[in-house]
Amino acid sequence: MKPLARKVFPFLFAGLALLALSACSNEAGERKAFIEFLQTRIVDQPGLRVPKLTDEEQKSLGRYAAQYAVIGDFNDSMGKAFNEASPAIQTMASLSTPQALVQGQARIGEARAALAKVKGQLGDQLSKTQADRAKLEQPDDLKTVFQAAYEKTVVKPSELMLKVLDQTDGILAEAQDFSAFLKANEASVTFNGPLVEVNSPALLEELNAHLGALNDKRQKLMELQSELNAMVR
């Protein structure tokens, strides 16, 4: 039995060596395909691009398709957050006159609550994505291009999206304050279409302060929205 054992065991070890070599070869090919995909389909592309993997791409990326899901899943969540925030933004746009603000106090409160929920969900998803990113094991050649893609598709868009949500909430908060001011002084306030008139210099000064704050915040939001549009274009 001993001579037979000496003949069999070398063949077993040789088979294990071939399997290990095959696994290494597959990893190298998958990594090369992933690096090329990230570089050509995301990093080198203008604007924000997070393409869905085709079946063929899924196969060619192999184990690295799961690493791409860190980027893809967050992008899906960010798109969902933007869609859920849209009604609040539309509410803000629809309350375009002082009188509309007074009449829409309840809607402003609802819009702020909806925004707070969206911000919380996006923040939670960002924390999860950051944790998942930290767990990824990547050789140096992949790590560099993945980080560039991650910065472009996760870090910068999420920072800008959160700024847009914060600025929108800031406008709604100022609108609430302005509405409360108008309501508290309704005996001294007259609405004339998009204009509002008051009967004392003190109230006029406070009125102008509210209007100035609203205009400043709206201007900042327009700048952030332009930046966001340029990013995704």
Side-chain angles (χ1 to χ4, degrees):
M1 292 298 293
K2 289 183 179 180
L4 179 61
R6 284 197 295 269
K7 290 179 181 179
V8 172
F9 288 156
F11 283 111
L12 288 176
F13 290 134
L16 291 174
L18 287 174
L19 286 173
L21 181 62
S22 175
C24 291
S25 177
N26 287 343
E27 187 280 330
E30 292 166 359
R31 174 160 37 102
K32 181 181 178 182
F34 191 34
I35 290 172
E36 182 178 355
F37 176 85
L38 292 172
Q39 187 69 51
T40 60
R41 301 290 302 280
I42 295 178
V43 177
D44 291 344
Q45 292 296 319
L48 180 61
R49 300 289 183 272
V50 184
K52 298 288 186 183
L53 294 180
T54 63
D55 291 342
E56 185 177 347
E57 289 169 338
Q58 189 91 21
K59 183 178 179 180
S60 69
L61 298 188
R63 72 203 71 191
Y64 289 110
Q67 295 202 5
Y68 182 62
V70 172
I71 289 175
D73 290 350
F74 180 77
N75 186 260
D76 290 343
S77 297
M78 192 163 58
K80 181 181 177 183
F82 185 82
N83 290 336
E84 291 181 355
S86 293
I89 296 174
Q90 292 169 1
T91 294
M92 178 186 65
S94 68
L95 302 175
S96 57
T97 67
Q99 189 171 17
L101 289 178
V102 174
Q103 295 170 344
Q105 280 183 318
R107 292 173 59 199
I108 295 173
E110 292 167 359
R112 292 195 69 195
L115 276 181
K117 181 180 178 181
V118 171
K119 284 168 58 181
Q121 291 172 340
L122 184 59
D124 290 344
Q125 185 61 37
L126 181 58
S127 296
K128 179 182 180 303
T129 301
Q130 291 168 337
D132 291 342
R133 167 73 180 96
K135 296 174 186 175
L136 298 181
E137 296 183 1
Q138 299 173 329
D140 289 342
D141 56 347
L142 172 57
K143 188 179 296 182
T144 300
V145 69
F146 187 91
Q147 184 60 31
Y150 183 82
E151 287 279 341
K152 187 175 183 180
T153 58
V154 176
V155 177
K156 293 181 180 178
S158 63
E159 287 177 351
L160 191 52
M161 181 67 175
L162 287 170
K163 286 181 181 179
V164 168
L165 294 176
D166 283 340
Q167 192 65 22
T168 302
D169 183 62
I171 293 174
L172 291 171
E174 182 59 41
Q176 278 184 319
D177 290 344
F178 186 31
S179 176
F181 161 76
L182 294 173
K183 186 70 175 175
N185 295 281
E186 58 184 344
S188 304
V189 169
T190 302
F191 296 109
N192 185 11
L195 304 177
V196 58
E197 300 172 354
V198 293
N199 59 9
S200 79
L203 286 178
L204 179 60
E205 184 177 351
E206 193 170 351
L207 172 68
N208 287 335
H210 281 293
L211 290 173
L214 273 174
N215 289 335
D216 289 345
K217 290 181 183 298
R218 281 175 174 158
Q219 179 60 38
K220 179 61 177 177
L221 179 61
M222 288 175 61
E223 293 170 3
L224 289 172
Q225 287 176 327
S226 294
E227 192 176 345
L228 184 62
N229 289 338
M231 177 180 290
V232 302
R233 189 169 298 157

